[in-house]
Amino acid sequence: CFAPFLCLRPPQIRVKPDRTGVVTDGVKHSMNPFCEIAVEEAVKLKEKKLVKEVVAVSCGPQQVQETIRTALAMGADRGIHVEVSGKDYETLGPLQVSKIFAALAKKEQADLIILGKQAIDDDCNQTGQMTAALLDWPQGTFASEVTLEADKLKVVREIDGGLETIKIKLPAVVTADLRLNTPRYATLPNIMKAKKKKIVNVKPADLGVDVSSRLEVLKVDEPPQRQSGVKVETVHDLVEKLKEAGRI
Amino acid sequence: MCNCMGMVLSCSVCDVIVLPFICIFKARRCIRALKAVRAEHVAPQVYSTRWSSSTVPRITTHYTVYPRDKDPRWEGMEMERFADEADVVIVGGGPAGLSAAIRLKQLANQHEKELRVCVVEKASQIGAHTLSGACLEPTALNELIPDWKERGAPLNTPVTEDKFAILTEKYRIPVPILPGLPMNNHGNYLVRLGHFVRWLGEQAEELGVELYPGYAAAEVLFHEDGSVKGIATNDVGIGKDGSPKDVFERGMELHAKVTLFGEGCHGHLAKQLYKQFNLRENCEPQTYAIGLKELWVIDEKKWRPGRTEHSVGWPLNRNTYGGSFLYHLNEGEPLVALGFVVGLDYTNPYLSPFREFQRWKHHPSIMSTLEGGNRIAYGARALNEGGFQSIPKLTFPGGMLIGCSPGFMNVPKIKGTHTAMKSGMLAAETAFSKITDENLQSETAGLYIPEYKEALEKSWIWKELYAVRNIRPSFHNYFGLYGGMLYTGIFYWFLRGKEPWTLKHNGLDSAQLKPAKDCAPIEYPKPDGKISFDLLSSVALSGTNHEHDQPPHLTLKDDSVPVAQNLAIYDGPEQRFCPAGVYEYVPLETGDGMRLQINAQNCVHCKTCDIKDPSQNINWVVPEGSGGPAYNGM
């Protein structure tokens, strides 16, 4: 079981005039790139006959179904669409999503949850870790290599200092990093076949999850415009300018 | 390696002459050595079947120029394609294609027939590659979906004010729009065409049309008897050097009884079909313009929703066709859509349509609207200007051309959406009758439907295009713009196109450029970053992106021609007419000389290069599906 995220892939983010968020209307939503890698890994495990079934899960409004279809076209067997829309969707964050995943994992009796390490719209990098904590499962995050050895999972993790290899017991949560694999294309014949695969609709309430947010967004602003630099001729000028600006 | 090549050449030349024995011996060694080199690394020059200078770095790697069946890197690759059958396949999810799809399903439901209609669209979502002014005449929409208002069609801005002016560098001379002139916009709507197309897509899906955005039609398929069998979508996973990657997958074949081609202005498959079926033998060549557009959020005090402004004149001289539009949209926030159109029959290779657009915005009458505002979008697209005289043959066994691809734009009205939609609807109606005719005896495997052309000739499209046929060509006179306006004012206003003559165009746009030495470079002002902008920041706003590791889709028939001809004679006009900065002449790393650098990732799919290249060496082909601009309501 794994969970791709719907995320924004806008060319140019625009802050909404009321500063409560960014404009999402009409912007192409597509699968989070790290989640594409997660889907690919899950499908690879199935092709190696190491897992029996791959279930794609996503939380969000109606458009999310297209993303689940892409996962199905890549090789997932069935999909679960957890319906969250409107105001709830705008405030949906890692804590609520991980509660949903934890509930689903128990319901589906999943052995493995694979997701992208972080979403490229909010860059939180929290969902995988929170899900593992809620389930009290071991976690292998930032995975660049995953191997099944008997009933344990060997995960090579990308960390600041290099690569760390750990062995964790199943059931477990794994989050995918960039170098785990190269996702396959969802080809048109597979998209057509995916239309026949099942996607089940579920509401968070059905799973006993409260999606209200503990966070309140006060305002969203564009990053400040970068000021143009100033060229100086000599070191003396540089020191003068720094003194002028009160820096030294 | 050069030595080897030289020997092989001379061998083939001295074929039957003096020293055959030695030649053959040396040739065998050469060929073996060459094979070793080929297997070892992909040195592009080895594959060139034409003798090009070894100092021309390889630019083009696309399989349409270097076929894969002769390419050893493709030996043993599985090239079988999965195929599926539909009743009708439509290439292009724009106004024409979607109107055709909707009409087909409406008829199918009405007559209780099963009909499988598939639409393939290269954009990642329906509407993402749509760009237009746009001022929509709702005639076709009223016929297609009469209850469009109840269904929530995004026609939110009826035209309230209509202004036309001639600009000089400092002044604005208003020109009255008398009723009856084609530019009169009463009853029309200002729309964000991308949103309208998206809405059409939703209507189509509701009716059961299968929409496949993100999949480009890359190849036309033919039956044994030469009729069109359908299309194949693009292959994926080909590397920048033309070799297969691990993720290589063949595209899919979609077979249909009839295929409708609605690729928009200057479609790449249509280009092939013109040659294949000789569709242009009895019409004039198509002529084009490039349209550049921006969306601005302006100061609320300056916002007049429903105001439609057009201008001609400055900054173009009287012999360069073109003009501007500025539409105040009513969609919640103070949004204006503005843009500039330049006829691609311009003669000065130093002209840059993008920079003309940027400098036009500095005209006092335009600046007053834009000051204090914010630019939020940019894009560009070529459009048709040929009108009636340039309409090709529209039907061929197995297929039909619809929309701006053959070209039904009413040039003086600057509207082509309503005619594109109507052509799609007529194609659908005539195709439906033929497909569901149980007694049909078709001579060809792909259906031939000449009834489409007959239906068009009886429709209002034909009358409309015929009436305005002489307006655009009337600009080809010494007085240029003023001659044209005079002609329109006199002949069109009184005779409404009933004059018995039909003026001709000037020939191919690509043949109009004068050599650079005969023309004066144009001094464009530097962009100020508030009203006018540089090219690269503009391209970023278009949201365009392509998978970087794929063969450049702007293919050259001959890699040596750009430097040898375009740069040498015309000073590289592609650097100026491309609105996305795809073409750059950069110094060679090794010593002196220049080379052409193609930044394929920047491409916004406008097709201008394919149209305007004076050597007609550039052939735009479709890149991997989903690539290209990400317009939102353009």
Side-chain angles (χ1 to χ4, degrees), chain B residues 25-202:
Chain B
F25 178 68
K26 285 195 171 143
R28 281 224 187 99
R29 268 214 316 219
C30 279
I31 291 168
R32 246 180 284 141
L34 271 178
K35 276 199 179 135
V37 170
R38 275 184 181 183
E40 181 186 304
H41 80 287
V42 185
Q45 281 84 339
V46 180
Y47 299 108
S48 298
T49 49
R50 40 171 169 70
W51 182 240
S52 52
S53 155
S54 54
T55 59
V56 174
R58 161 89 151 236
I59 302 171
T60 303
T61 53
H62 202 271
Y63 63 80
T64 50
V65 183
Y66 297 103
R68 289 173 290 192
D69 53 3
K70 297 193 180 63
D71 188 334
R73 299 169 302 177
W74 288 86
E75 240 178 83
M77 288 298 295
E78 180 54 63
M79 298 300 265
E80 269 289 310
R81 276 188 290 223
F82 181 77
D84 204 358
E85 302 277 332
D87 291 295
V88 181
V89 164
I90 300 175
V91 176
L98 292 173
S99 300
I102 292 172
R103 195 80 193 98
L104 279 167
K105 276 303 209 178
Q106 284 174 342
L107 289 166
N109 293 342
Q110 199 186 329
H111 293 100
E112 288 171 352
K113 300 246 188 224
E114 286 284 325
L115 202 69
R116 185 174 184 206
V117 180
C118 295
V119 175
V120 286
E121 162 59 47
K122 62 175 164 58
S124 57
Q125 53 183 16
I126 302 284
H129 286 187
T130 301
L131 184 141
S132 182
C135 185
L136 180 67
E137 205 180 281
T139 42
L141 181 60
N142 288 333
E143 288 180 29
L144 183 67
I145 303 177
D147 58 343
W148 52 261
K149 212 183 172 91
E150 287 79 30
R151 286 174 174 275
L155 273 66
N156 303 315
T157 316
V159 173
T160 54
E161 270 181 271
D162 208 352
K163 292 184 182 303
F164 187 73
I166 302 178
L167 297 182
T168 63
E169 195 174 340
K170 294 201 190 63
Y171 302 106
R172 184 176 172 276
I173 307 166
V175 174
I177 303 178
L178 305 165
L181 277 180
M183 317 66 196
N184 190 308
N185 274 312
H186 185 70
N188 297 335
Y189 292 84
L190 298 175
V191 294
R192 294 175 71 169
L193 197 64
H195 287 168
F196 178 67
V197 168
R198 185 177 64 180
W199 176 83
L200 279 178
E202 289 162 12

Side-chain angles (χ1 to χ4, degrees), chain B residues 426 451-463:
Chain B
L426 291 173
E451 290 83 350
Y452 168 51
K453 174 75 186 293
E454 290 158 25
L456 271 172
E457 284 172 349
K458 295 202 193 84
S459 74
W460 48 259
I461 298 183
W462 219 250
K463 292 192 195 61

Side-chain angles (χ1 to χ4, degrees), chain A residues 11 25-26 28 185-186 189 191, chain B residues 82 124-125 198 215 543 624 632:
Chain A
D25 179 45
K28 166 81 176 164
Y185 286 86
I191 292 269
Chain B
F82 181 77
S124 57
Q125 53 183 16
R198 185 177 64 180
Y215 296 96
E624 270 183 24
N632 181 3

Side-chain angles (χ1 to χ4, degrees), chain A residues 41-53:
Chain A
E41 196 59 24
V43 172
K44 276 198 162 73
L45 285 172
K46 193 178 91 160
E47 285 172 345
K48 289 192 203 137
K49 304 231 195 311
L50 296 170
V51 301
K52 272 203 305 267
E53 193 193 26

Side-chain angles (χ1 to χ4, degrees), chain A residues 188-245:
Chain A
L188 188 53
N190 288 336
I191 292 269
M192 289 180 173
K193 285 188 205 139
K195 293 213 165 163
K196 302 198 184 85
K197 292 187 184 173
K198 273 191 73 163
I199 299 182
V200 164
N201 266 31
V202 183
K203 292 213 173 43
D206 301 340
L207 299 167
V209 174
D210 167 24
V211 288
S212 52
S213 178
R214 303 281 205 283
L215 307 171
E216 184 194 332
V217 171
L218 295 174
K219 72 172 158 102
V220 177
D221 270 331
E222 286 188 11
Q225 285 278 5
R226 197 181 162 182
Q227 298 298 322
S228 54
V230 176
K231 263 191 172 163
V232 292
E233 296 292 309
T234 66
V235 172
H236 184 258
D237 289 343
L238 175 62
V239 172
E240 284 303 312
K241 280 246 150 42
L242 286 172
K243 280 199 183 142
E244 259 175 54

Side-chain angles (χ1 to χ4, degrees), chain A residues 11-12 14 17 23-29 66 182-193 195 222, chain B residues 82 84 116 120 124-125 198 211-212 215 233 236-237 247 249 252 254 297 333 376 540-541 543 547 624 630 632:
Chain A
Q12 189 84 181
R14 248 217 309 160
V23 174
T24 58
D25 179 45
V27 174
K28 166 81 176 164
H29 286 59
E66 250 185 71
T182 309
R184 67 195 66 191
Y185 286 86
T187 58
L188 188 53
N190 288 336
I191 292 269
M192 289 180 173
K193 285 188 205 139
K195 293 213 165 163
E222 286 188 11
Chain B
F82 181 77
D84 204 358
R116 185 174 184 206
V120 286
S124 57
Q125 53 183 16
R198 185 177 64 180
L211 289 179
Y212 296 113
Y215 296 96
T233 58
V236 291
V247 286
E249 293 268 2
M252 165 178 172
L254 274 171
V297 175
E333 45 179 352
I376 61 167
L541 272 186
E547 161 60 53
E624 270 183 24
N632 181 3

Side-chain angles (χ1 to χ4, degrees), chain B residues 211-227:
Chain B
L211 289 179
Y212 296 113
Y215 296 96
E219 207 183 305
V220 183
L221 303 168
F222 297 95
H223 288 289
E224 294 258 317
D225 63 9
S227 60

